[in-house]
């Protein structure tokens, strides 16, 4: 976890609280003083209960005439909004606190407010950059430019706040002043940082022991042996387990980098001990995973497995216990732990380890979805993979591009479980998959075919001898780059994979038990008319009427397709099938994902709310004319797991509405007598038989979730 984010906002006010009055935490709660309530609010922030912190601070704000206490209360409320990810509200609250501080001409309060504004604007800058990239990936350059402008504004505001804090803290020698100089380091070029680093170190050296001092010593210059040792000595003097955990852990990381594994183990085990004492899962998982890496390198596989399991258990607890903005960076800090553990489990061809690798892959995929959506996703009623395989005569294939190797795990209907290591490296595979998807989208030529055959040889040929005639469907659980490509378009030199097997996808074998199809009619919504930001889809009119003719049901076209009519129809007719023929995009974040209606776009979260408001969700959701940015399939696949919809059928990239109408009409026709994955395969084969066809038009249609 980023210590500066974890400790900056709460610790920025703690020195002010301590200066106002002696500690009063033992005071009876019957008539608590404002100072006691402020300290209680601070405690709530540290424990992740931001809403309770807001309530306590607001009580003080509304009852005390003391302007200094009002400014501190506003700072705490701003901190709570920050932890909730409500950056606009946090900025407004900090600005109000700043106004009071200016009235009082209090340098400590002024610097604190500016530091808090700096941190919030910096996070807003990072969020806007992420949104800009997601909008660009989703094919919306105008929206991307809007987010880039927001990022530039946020960056400017952050720099202004840092410079103002530096000005107001000129004569301060407190933690707030040290934090100001740590902040300024992040916006200066390396050759200009030394004076401010030196000033911060001098301020911290002269301060008495405190948790804030320890955290700032550790973040001032990460990996600096002198600062780490000073932080550890300070933590030992203070005697509190949480800062002791971080100080010992940073020392362990230093020894690990120096390859001094005996000392690293000793320090990390001590860090783990103090993390346990303080229930500090945000540090514990780091030390456990680093211990696991050391044992792995030493060849102590059993001990490495034990500590990887413990680290993942700590991460599971952490996701439930702390606010989303304080979650560790997933791709940098969390995902590598899962991938390293999988690498360890699959090194040897051990059935027990292979089975555990499947379970860890499930946990990884669920954690990835929770990181994407920003919240704990679901509780599932699970069906065992083996039961699924036997009941559906399907081969289940888990695709794992790890750190050093590429593996896949094959589960067959007869219970056989095997793991296979590919000769290709993960980086080579990533390059091939990226290029393959690019070529598949180019309808003007067939240059995709070479890579379709190369990838077939690498991925399918090794397991082909194990696939007997009873296997009808290949169900892929794709990790990483595998999610971005249509595996149905792999080619053996004679035919496409989908001509031999039906193909389906899932992000987890922990599938929800499927609702029985409801007897109510199909619900069909379509938008053929264009708007200011989206083109018309003339083929939608024919598509929707053809589906209604085939399946019956209720049709809502153009102006009849609004968020309200969708919500009301789902409540009135709990249909088994929901067909949406409209522009839909799934970008890199929930914010950049939407479904277009005649009146307005529906965000992914709004769409989930609509689906979750029904007693029984549709068993099948079809998104015609949708577009999924490369690497952004989590929104498409996540709908199934988060709403209880058994199956989602959508497209990896946009295809023409005429071809889409043909394929989907064939799909519904075949689905009357065949399972869903096989119905899609038959519809795609129908297109392949047309000599003018190209995978660009049929391959992107992919089925996620339950495939029967």
């Amino acid at each position: 976890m980023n210590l500066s984010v974890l400790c900056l906002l709460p610790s920025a006010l703690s020195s002010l609280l301590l200066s106002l009055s002696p500690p009063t935490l033992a005071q009876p709660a019957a008539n608590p003083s404002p100072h006691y309530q402020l300290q209680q609010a601070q405690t709530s922030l540290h424990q992740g209960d931001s809403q309770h912190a807001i309530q306590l601070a607001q009580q003080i704000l509304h009852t005390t005439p003391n302007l200094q206490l009002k400014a501190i209360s506003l700072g705490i409320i701003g901190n709570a909004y920050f932890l909730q990810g409500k950056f606009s509200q946090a900025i407004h609250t900090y600005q109000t606190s700043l106004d009071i501080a200016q009235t009082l001409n209090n340098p400590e309060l002024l610097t604190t407010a500016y530091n808090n504004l700096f941190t919030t604007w910096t996070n807003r800058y990072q969020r806007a950059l992420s949104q800009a990239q997601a909008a660009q990936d989703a094919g919306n350059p105008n929206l991307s430019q809007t987010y880039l402008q927001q990022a530039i504004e946020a960056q400017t505001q952050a720099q202004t706040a840092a410079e103002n804090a530096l000005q107001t803290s000129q004569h301060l020698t407190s933690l707030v002043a040290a934090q100001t100089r740590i902040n300024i380091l992040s916006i200066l070029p390396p050759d200009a940082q030394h004076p401010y680093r030196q000033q911060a170190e001098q301020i911290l050296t002269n301060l008495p022991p405190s948790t804030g001092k320890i955290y700032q010593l550790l973040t001032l210059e990460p990996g600096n042996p002198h600062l780490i040792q000073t932080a550890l000595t300070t933590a030992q003097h203070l005697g509190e387990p949480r800062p002791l955990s971080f100080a010992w852990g940073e020392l362990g990381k230093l020894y690990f980098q120096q390859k001094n594994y005996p000392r690293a183990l000793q320090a990390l085990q001590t860090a783990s001990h103090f993390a346990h004492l303080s229930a500090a899962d945000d540090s514990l998982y780091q030390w456990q995973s680093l211990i696991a890496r050391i044992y792995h390198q030493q060849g102590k596989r059993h001990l490495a497995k034990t500590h990887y399991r413990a680290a993942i258990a700590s991460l599971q607890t952490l996701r439930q216990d702390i606010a989303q903005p304080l979650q560790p960076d997933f791709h940098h800090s969390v995902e590598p732990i899962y991938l390293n553990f999988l690498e360890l489990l699959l090194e040897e061809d051990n059935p027990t380890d292979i089975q555990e690798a499947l379970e860890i892959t499930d946990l990884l995929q669920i954690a990835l979805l929770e990181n994407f959506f920003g919240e704990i996703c679901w509780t599932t009623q699970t069906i065992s993979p083996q039961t699924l395989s036997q009941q559906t005569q399907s081969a289940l294939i888990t695709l794992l591009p790890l750190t050093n190797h590429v593996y896949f795990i094959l589960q067959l209907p007869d219970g056989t479980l095997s793991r296979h290591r590919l000769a290709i490296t993960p980086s080579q595979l990533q390059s091939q998959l990226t290029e393959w998807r690019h070529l598949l989208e180019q309808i003007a030529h067939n240059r995709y075919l070479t890579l379709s055959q190369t990838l077939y040889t690498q991925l399918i040929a090794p397991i082909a001898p194990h696939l007997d005639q009873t296997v009808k469907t290949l169900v892929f659980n794709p990790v990483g780059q595998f999610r971005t490509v249509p595996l149905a378009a792999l080619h053996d030199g004679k035919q496409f994979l989908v001509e031999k097997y039906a193909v389906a996808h899932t992000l987890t074998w922990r599938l929800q038990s499927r609702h029985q199809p409801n007897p109510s009619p199909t619900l069909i919504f379509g938008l053929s008319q264009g708007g200011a930001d989206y083109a018309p889809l003339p083929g939608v009119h024919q598509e929707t009427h053809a589906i209604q003719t085939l399946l019956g049901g209720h049709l809502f076209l153009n102006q009849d397709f609004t968020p309200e009519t969708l919500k009301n129809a789902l409540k009135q007719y709990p249909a088994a099938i929901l067909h949406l023929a409209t522009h839909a995009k799934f970008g890199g974040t929930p914010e950049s994902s939407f479904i277009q209606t005649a009146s307005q776009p529906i965000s992914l979260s709004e769409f989930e709310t609509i689906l979750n408001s029904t007693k029984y969700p549709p068993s099948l959701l079809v998104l015609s004319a949708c577009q999924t940015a490369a690497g952004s399939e989590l929104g498409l696949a996540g709908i199934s797991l988060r709403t209880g919809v058994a199956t989602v059928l959508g497209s990896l990239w946009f295809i023409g509405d005429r071809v889409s109408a043909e394929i989907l009409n064939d799909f519904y026709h075949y689905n009357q007598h065949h399972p869903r994955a096989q119905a899609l395969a038959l519809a795609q084969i129908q297109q392949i038989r047309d000599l003018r066809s190209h995978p660009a038009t049929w391959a992107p249609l992919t089925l996620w979730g339950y495939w029967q």
Side-chain angles (χ1 to χ4, degrees):
M1 173 169 289
N2 185 333
L3 287 177
S4 63
V5 174
L6 173 67
C7 307
L8 168 61
L9 298 180
S11 68
L13 292 173
S14 60
S15 59
L16 290 174
L17 292 172
L18 293 174
S19 69
L20 288 171
S21 67
T24 56
L25 289 178
Q27 178 175 328
N31 188 26
S33 71
H35 306 83
Y36 176 81
Q37 287 180 294
L38 284 172
Q39 291 177 344
Q40 289 290 83
Q42 279 286 90
T43 301
S44 294
L45 277 181
H46 279 292
Q47 294 173 344
D49 191 351
S50 56
Q51 200 56 44
H52 188 235
I54 290 174
Q55 292 170 358
L56 290 171
Q58 283 179 336
Q59 289 175 13
I60 303 163
L61 187 64
H62 296 144
T63 57
T64 183
N66 188 312
L67 289 180
Q68 192 173 18
L69 291 179
K70 284 182 180 290
I72 297 174
S73 299
L74 285 164
I76 289 177
I77 294 169
N79 293 345
Y81 284 138
F82 173 85
L83 298 184
Q84 294 174 351
K86 299 175 180 177
F87 295 154
S88 295
Q89 290 168 266
I91 289 167
H92 174 75
T93 307
Y94 291 143
Q95 189 62 52
T96 306
S97 177
L98 178 64
D99 293 341
I100 295 175
Q102 287 171 333
T103 300
L104 295 171
N105 195 25
N106 185 317
E108 194 90 2
L109 282 172
L110 283 167
T111 306
T112 298
Y114 282 129
N115 281 344
N116 290 341
L117 284 167
F118 167 82
T119 302
T120 310
W121 279 115
T122 299
N123 277 268
R124 193 165 184 170
Y125 162 74
Q126 293 167 344
R127 176 187 284 181
L129 277 185
S130 174
Q131 291 170 327
Q133 184 60 56
Q136 187 66 38
D137 291 342
N140 195 333
N142 292 334
L143 182 60
S144 177
Q145 191 61 37
T146 299
Y147 283 133
L148 282 176
Q149 290 299 324
Q150 292 176 7
I152 292 170
E153 179 192 355
Q155 186 180 42
T156 302
Q157 294 283 1
Q159 183 169 345
T160 300
E163 292 169 351
N164 287 337
L166 200 61
Q167 182 68 29
T168 58
S169 67
Q170 280 184 343
H171 304 294
L172 298 178
T173 56
S174 61
L175 283 172
V176 173
Q179 186 63 60
T180 298
R181 282 141 185 84
I182 293 172
N183 290 347
I184 208 77
L185 294 176
S186 66
I187 62 174
L188 290 176
D191 58 356
Q193 293 178 2
H194 180 71
Y196 299 102
R197 185 175 285 111
Q198 197 172 40
Q199 290 173 27
E201 185 174 355
Q202 184 176 355
I203 292 170
L204 292 170
T205 300
N206 294 327
L207 287 174
S210 70
T211 56
K213 175 178 178 176
I214 294 164
Y215 295 138
Q216 289 185 12
L217 284 167
L218 294 174
T219 56
L220 176 58
E221 189 177 357
N224 183 307
H226 169 68
L227 294 178
I228 292 173
Q229 189 57 56
T230 303
L232 179 57
T233 302
T234 306
Q236 289 171 327
H237 182 274
L238 204 61
E240 295 181 8
R242 180 176 173 80
L244 276 167
S245 169
F246 278 105
W248 276 109
E250 290 301 314
L251 183 61
K253 286 166 65 175
L254 178 63
Y255 285 137
F256 177 82
Q257 291 162 1
Q258 296 171 346
K259 300 189 185 304
N260 188 340
Y261 296 142
R263 286 198 171 185
L265 278 174
Q266 185 179 18
L268 291 167
Q269 287 164 347
T270 305
S272 298
H273 167 72
F274 285 116
H276 275 296
L277 288 180
S278 57
D281 290 301
D282 54 330
S283 66
L284 182 58
Y285 84 91
Q286 299 180 57
W287 321 141
Q288 290 167 328
S289 63
L290 205 48
I291 291 171
R293 288 179 63 186
I294 293 172
Y295 281 136
H296 189 187
Q297 292 188 18
Q298 293 178 335
K300 300 176 181 178
R301 290 170 49 81
H302 176 72
L303 288 172
K305 292 177 194 176
T306 299
H307 283 83
Y308 273 129
R309 292 183 193 113
I312 289 173
S314 297
L315 283 168
Q316 299 284 97
T317 303
L318 183 65
R319 289 207 314 277
Q320 299 174 31
D321 286 351
I322 70 172
Q324 182 64 23
L326 292 188
Q327 295 283 351
D329 178 76
F330 185 84
H331 295 291
H332 176 73
S333 302
V334 175
E335 189 175 28
I337 296 174
Y338 289 91
L339 298 180
N340 289 339
F341 189 20
L342 287 168
E343 195 91 55
L344 170 63
L345 290 170
L346 296 173
E347 278 180 350
E348 298 179 359
D349 195 1
N350 181 300
T352 302
D353 286 350
I354 296 172
Q355 183 61 51
E356 185 170 7
L358 289 174
E359 296 166 4
I360 296 302
T361 302
D362 264 354
L363 293 177
L364 169 61
Q365 299 281 58
I366 291 172
L368 189 66
L369 279 167
E370 289 176 348
N371 178 71
F372 176 83
F373 287 100
E375 60 187 10
I376 300 298
C377 285
W378 57 81
T379 301
T380 58
Q381 297 176 323
T382 61
I383 308 171
S384 75
Q386 192 53 53
T387 300
L388 284 169
S389 180
Q390 291 173 346
Q391 289 179 349
T392 63
Q393 289 298 296
S394 304
L396 312 184
I397 304 171
T398 303
L399 301 169
L400 294 167
L402 303 180
T403 307
N404 300 315
H405 301 96
V406 181
Y407 292 94
F408 57 88
I409 301 172
L410 174 65
Q411 302 172 83
L412 295 174
D414 64 4
T416 302
L417 186 66
S418 60
R419 76 97 167 94
H420 305 261
R421 180 189 296 171
L422 302 189
I424 192 171
T425 67
S427 59
Q428 290 171 331
L429 176 70
Q430 181 171 353
S431 298
Q432 287 185 351
L433 293 177
T434 301
E435 178 66 11
W436 186 44
R437 168 158 173 160
H438 172 72
L439 294 175
L440 282 169
E441 294 186 54
Q442 308 305 309
I443 198 169
H445 57 73
N446 291 329
R447 289 200 292 269
Y448 70 87
L449 190 57
T450 299
L451 271 176
S452 287
Q453 294 173 352
T454 299
L455 288 164
Y456 181 95
T457 301
Q458 293 169 170
L459 300 176
I460 304 301
I463 62 171
H466 303 282
L467 303 175
D468 61 32
Q469 294 182 352
T470 64
V471 173
K472 305 297 182 185
T473 305
L474 303 184
V475 185
F476 293 97
N477 184 348
V479 172
Q481 196 81 1
F482 281 118
R483 290 193 303 270
T484 70
V485 292
L487 296 166
L490 295 171
H491 200 281
D492 67 358
K494 296 180 180 178
Q495 57 185 345
F496 290 103
L497 181 64
V498 74
E499 296 180 83
K500 300 171 70 174
Y501 304 100
V503 175
H505 306 76
T506 181
L507 284 184
T508 172
W509 301 123
R510 298 182 173 199
L511 292 175
Q512 289 184 321
S513 12
R514 177 174 176 244
H515 288 299
Q516 290 298 317
N518 298 295
S520 302
T522 298
L523 290 179
I524 308 162
F525 288 80
L527 186 62
S528 63
Q529 299 170 348
D533 299 319
Y534 54 93
L537 297 170
V540 162
H541 189 275
Q542 180 181 350
E543 172 186 334
T544 53
H545 279 87
I547 293 171
Q548 187 182 37
T549 300
L550 180 65
L551 301 179
H554 300 274
L555 172 60
F556 301 82
L557 192 61
N558 293 325
Q559 298 307 313
D560 292 331
F561 179 12
T562 67
E564 279 302 311
T565 57
L566 176 61
K567 182 178 180 179
N568 293 335
L570 282 167
K571 285 186 176 180
Q572 186 175 357
Y573 311 107
I577 298 173
L578 174 61
H579 183 100
L580 303 180
T582 180
H583 290 285
K585 288 188 178 180
F586 293 89
T589 65
E591 293 83 4
S592 62
S593 305
F594 67 89
I595 296 169
Q596 187 66 50
T597 73
S599 59
Q600 66 187 68
I602 304 174
S603 70
L604 190 57
S605 60
E606 291 169 339
F607 185 54
E608 285 185 20
T609 300
I610 291 173
L611 290 175
N612 286 324
S613 68
T614 63
K615 185 176 181 180
Y616 297 107
S619 175
L620 171 63
L621 168 65
V622 177
L623 294 160
S624 171
C626 83
Q627 178 179 355
T628 305
S632 306
E633 299 71 28
L634 295 174
L636 185 64
I639 290 175
S640 171
L641 290 168
R642 287 171 57 84
T643 63
V645 173
T647 310
V648 177
L649 176 58
S651 180
L652 291 175
W653 59 79
F654 179 77
I655 57 179
D657 50 331
R658 181 191 62 80
V659 178
S660 175
E662 288 180 7
I663 298 176
L664 291 174
N665 193 64
D666 286 340
F667 164 75
Y668 284 123
H669 171 75
Y670 289 121
N671 190 216
Q672 293 179 322
H673 305 288
H674 299 275
R676 288 168 181 171
Q678 291 183 26
L680 177 60
L682 290 169
Q684 290 175 319
I685 291 169
Q686 193 77 8
Q687 292 293 315
I688 293 169
R689 286 175 179 165
D690 184 339
L691 297 179
R692 300 167 298 173
S693 74
H694 188 282
T697 62
W698 57 261
L701 282 169
T702 52
L703 188 145
W704 293 88
Y706 197 78
W707 54 92
Q708 283 298 95

